[in-house]
């Protein structure tokens, strides 16, 4: 691996075993452009409910581990469903935990968002709530290309649980290339 290789970490916003979003995420290693590799962060289901009293006793190990992996990365890709026109509570909980650390791991981090939904507009509304949180956390969220995968059940192999739609895959490659460009611009 060359010193110029960018390493992005992937955060999945669904805990579901057969998650469509996890299926999209699982396909990312085969879609990244040259000069980029990806690895997966742990499950946000391992985080307890955020409680400042628990924090006062010490940050839970899974939170510290994920924060260190984000800090060490060149960028983050969040792949998440939309719940009730917003982000799943479990993802908000994870962001709340990570946001309490100092240094805060999302600060200055290039970040791309992907959402997938069986519905028509592919989780677009969750993306804008997520962007709003990431403004406060001072991440550099990539504007375009936006990846909002509608009718997603038709684009994922239900057995293998990977993305099979080539057009969507090509858009994802474009988005990760744009994230890599952003990361290189921020680094220089
Ligand atoms: C949903 N779903 C959903 N879909 C959508 O496009 N907009 C929405 O606001 C919601 N709201 C919502 C709330 C809750 C509580 C659930 C459980 C589901 C449907 C959702 O997109 C669908 O279940 C996806 O398959 C969930 O993503 P994963 O787990 O397959 O990645």
């Amino acid at each position: 691996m060359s010193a110029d290789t960018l390493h992005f970490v992937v955060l999945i916003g669904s805990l579901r075993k057969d998650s469509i979003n996890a299926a999209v995420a699982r396909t990312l290693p085969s879609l990244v452009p040259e000069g980029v590799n990806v690895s997966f962060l742990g499950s946000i289901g391992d985080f307890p409910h955020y409680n400042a009293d628990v924090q006062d006793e010490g940050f839970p190990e899974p939170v510290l581990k994920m924060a260190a992996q984000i800090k060490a990365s060149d960028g983050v890709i969040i792949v998440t469903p939309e719940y009730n026109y917003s982000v799943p509570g479990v993802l908000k909980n994870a962001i709340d935990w990570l946001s309490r650390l100092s240094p805060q791991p999302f600060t200055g981090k290039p970040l791309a968002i992907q959402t997938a939904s069986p519905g028509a507009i592919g989780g677009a509304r969750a993306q804008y709530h997520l962007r709003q949180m990431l403004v406060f956390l001072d991440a550099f969220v990539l504007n375009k290309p936006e990846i909002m995968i509608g009718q997603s059940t038709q684009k994922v192999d239900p057995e293998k649980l990977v993305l099979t739609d080539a057009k969507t895959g090509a858009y994802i490659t474009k988005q990760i290339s744009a994230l890599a460009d952003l990361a290189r611009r921020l680094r220089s």
Side-chain angles (χ1 to χ4, degrees):
M1 190 168 62
S2 121
D4 292 338
T5 301
L6 292 169
H7 180 63
F8 296 149
V9 289
V10 182
L11 179 54
I12 300 171
S14 173
L15 304 183
R16 207 165 70 86
K17 168 171 60 63
D18 294 339
S19 162
I20 294 163
N21 286 275
V24 171
R26 210 170 283 125
T27 318
L28 292 179
S30 66
L31 297 175
V32 294
E34 207 173 317
V36 172
N37 66 39
V38 291
S39 67
F40 296 93
L41 295 169
S43 172
I44 54 177
D46 293 339
F47 289 17
H49 290 152
Y50 180 77
N51 178 336
D53 296 337
V54 176
Q55 180 191 324
D56 288 345
E57 287 161 22
F59 280 88
E61 201 47 47
V63 176
L64 293 172
K65 185 174 175 197
M66 191 177 290
Q69 288 171 321
I70 292 173
K71 284 281 305 164
S73 76
D74 295 303
V76 181
I77 302 169
I78 298 182
V79 192
T80 183
E82 175 177 278
Y83 278 3
N84 298 310
Y85 287 12
S86 186
V87 300
V90 70
L91 176 58
K92 179 67 165 61
N93 182 63
I95 290 172
D96 290 344
W97 267 114
L98 292 163
S99 74
R100 301 313 291 168
L101 282 159
S102 180
Q104 189 267 101
F106 291 105
T107 304
K109 211 43 89 177
L111 189 147
I113 302 171
Q114 301 174 1
T115 51
S117 159
I121 59 171
R125 290 161 291 218
Q127 294 214 2
Y128 290 99
H129 279 192
L130 188 50
R131 279 180 183 274
Q132 184 176 324
M133 294 169 212
L134 292 162
V135 169
F136 182 58
L137 299 183
D138 228 359
F140 288 108
V141 182
L142 183 75
N143 287 328
K144 289 183 190 165
E146 294 175 305
I147 303 293
M148 298 156 172
I149 308 169
Q151 273 95 41
S152 57
T153 43
Q154 296 162 33
K155 297 173 183 164
V156 163
D157 183 316
E159 308 273 296
K160 295 186 184 134
L161 290 170
V162 289
L163 180 75
T164 46
D165 186 66
K167 204 169 153 192
T168 304
Y171 272 123
I172 289 176
T173 301
K174 277 190 189 165
Q175 189 205 44
I176 299 173
S177 295
L179 183 66
D181 289 345
L182 175 64
R184 290 196 176 100
R185 278 204 305 278
L186 290 171
R187 201 154 73 167
S188 63

